[in-house]
Amino acid sequence: MAGVQTAVALREQGFTGSVTLIGAEPHQPYDRPPLSKAVLLGKAEGSAFDVDFEALDIELQLSREVVGVRPDDHELDTVEGSVPYDVLVIATGAEPIQLPGAEGVPGVHLLRTLDDADRLRPVLAQQHDIVVVGAGWIGAEFATAAREAGCAVTVVEAADRPLAGALPAEVAAPMAAWYADSGAELRTHARVERIEPGAVVLDDGSRVPAGAVVVGIGARPATAWLRGSGIELGVHGEVLADEHLRTSAPDVYAVGDCASFPSGRYEERLLVHHWDNALQGPRTVAANIIGETPMAYDPVPYFWSEQFGRFVQYVGHHAPADTTVWRGDPAGAAWSVCWLHEGRLVALLAVGRPRDLAQGRRLIESGLPMDPDLLSDPSRPLKEATA
C-alpha cells in the first residue's frame, strides 16, 4: 500500500523523473485488508490495486528481493545485483511474528500475504477445527471469517483479555463476549507450549484439537535487510523517520508500517501499523521529494476492524493516564469510548457508531475543550459536547 501510493502520489503531484517500484512478491501490487475477508472466503480472487502502472510510467520490478542498501553509494543491493537511486523510499511494511517452535510445522499458517490467504482458503472450505493463536485484531478478523465458513474455532490468548496490547482492560473486556456470541471459544491465560499433529498443547497440559493453526500474535517492521546500512532503527526495529519522513541517511525516506515518526500533536514518536497510515504518509513523502518547502507529517491515526458482525473504528492516540469517558452501554450493539487529555479529545473508539467517529476525528483535529458530562450522553451528538 505505502509503496504503491508513494509512486502514484509522485505522478499526481507532477514528478516527471523515473519511478521504479521494487517488491519481493511475484504478484501485482495488492491491498491487504480483503485478505482476511473476501479473498479468504473465496468471494474475491484477489485484491490487486486498480492502478495502471504503465499509463503512469511506473516501472514494476516484481519477484526482486532487496537485501541491503549502501546510502553512501546511493545503491540498493538485490539478489540479482545492484540498483542505483537518486531518492529511495523504504516502504517494506511489517512481517508477522512467528510462534516459537512452530515455523515449518505442517498445518500452521500465518495471514499476511496473498499466498497465505490462498493456502488458508481450502482450509476454511474443508471446515477444519481451527485454533487461532492470538486474540488481537487479525486473530479476531480471521476467527470471524472461519466462523462464517462454518469452522469450529478456538482462540487461545496468553493475556487475560482480547486486544490486550491495544486497548485498556475495561475497554477490551466487553469484547470477549463477542467470541461466544459468534460461536467461537475464547481461552485467555492460555499460552501455547507446543503444536503437535492435530492438536495445540497449552502450558497447563490441556490439548485443543486443531485441524489447522493460524498464528496472529503481532507483526514487526520488515527491516532486517537494513542492518549494517547505517540507517537508524528504533527499539522495535522500525526505521526512525523525522517529521518529514526522512531517515538518518541522505535522500532516503521511510513510510508506512516500517517507520515511526515524531508526532507534535501527541508529543511522542508513533509507530502506526494500519492501512490509513500507508495511505496518508506517501502524500507527504511525495511532496517532500518534489517540493522545496518540507511538509511535516502529523496525522490523527485511524483504523478499523470488522469482527463478529461489528464495525470497530479507532481514531487518535491515547496514553494510559488519559481520562476515559463512555458513551453508551458496552453490552449493547453500539457504544463509544472517548479519551481526554487536559480536557481535550485525543482518541475515540466507536463500535457501530460511525457518526461519533466522524465527528470525533474533527474534534481531535480542532483541539477544542470538551465537557465530560455532555460527552457521556450517547443521545447527544459528539460535536455538541464541547465546553
Side-chain angles (χ1 to χ4, degrees), residues 95-116:
E95 57 195 5
I97 296 172
Q98 301 271 2
L99 186 67
E103 200 168 348
V105 174
V108 177
H109 301 264
L110 299 167
L111 180 53
R112 183 73 183 180
T113 69
L114 184 59
D115 289 337
D116 292 338

Side-chain angles (χ1 to χ4, degrees), residues 168 251 254 264 347:
D251 303 317

Side-chain angles (χ1 to χ4, degrees), residues 77 127 142 181 221 230 233 269 273 300 315 319 370 380:
D77 291 320
Q127 297 188 335
F142 180 82
D181 290 347
L233 303 180
R269 181 168 282 275
H273 279 195
V300 174
V315 65
M370 306 297 294
R380 180 184 294 273

Side-chain angles (χ1 to χ4, degrees), residues 81-105:
S82 63
V83 179
Y85 65 83
D86 294 317
V87 176
L88 173 67
V89 180
I90 298 170
T92 44
E95 57 195 5
I97 296 172
Q98 301 271 2
L99 186 67
E103 200 168 348
V105 174

Side-chain angles (χ1 to χ4, degrees), residues 14-39:
F15 183 73
T16 57
S18 65
V19 177
T20 303
L21 193 57
I22 299 175
E25 290 188 65
H27 312 288
Q28 284 286 308
Y30 59 89
D31 205 8
R32 293 191 192 278
L35 299 185
S36 61
K37 305 171 184 74
V39 174

Side-chain angles (χ1 to χ4, degrees), residues 182-266:
S182 77
E185 181 183 0
L186 172 64
R187 297 181 63 167
T188 55
H189 300 285
R191 193 173 295 276
V192 175
E193 181 72 31
R194 65 184 181 278
I195 297 175
E196 297 178 349
V200 172
V201 182
L202 303 179
D203 60 357
D204 64 357
S206 61
R207 298 167 59 86
V208 185
V213 179
V214 177
V215 178
I217 56 175
R220 61 168 66 93
T223 56
W225 63 282
L226 289 170
R227 293 194 187 115
S229 68
I231 292 174
E232 194 175 354
L233 303 180
V235 293
H236 303 289
E238 83 279 15
V239 181
L240 293 176
D242 69 9
E243 67 272 24
H244 305 120
L245 298 180
R246 296 179 300 207
T247 73
S248 60
D251 303 317
V252 180
Y253 294 79
V255 66
D257 290 9
C258 69
S260 66
F261 56 90
S263 169
R265 185 191 309 276
Y266 292 104

Side-chain angles (χ1 to χ4, degrees), residues 1-3 5-6 255-257 272 274-282 297:
M1 180 69 177
Q5 291 299 328
T6 301
V255 66
D257 290 9
V272 181
H274 294 298
W275 185 92
D276 193 62
N277 181 48
L279 173 68
Q280 305 294 344
Y297 184 60

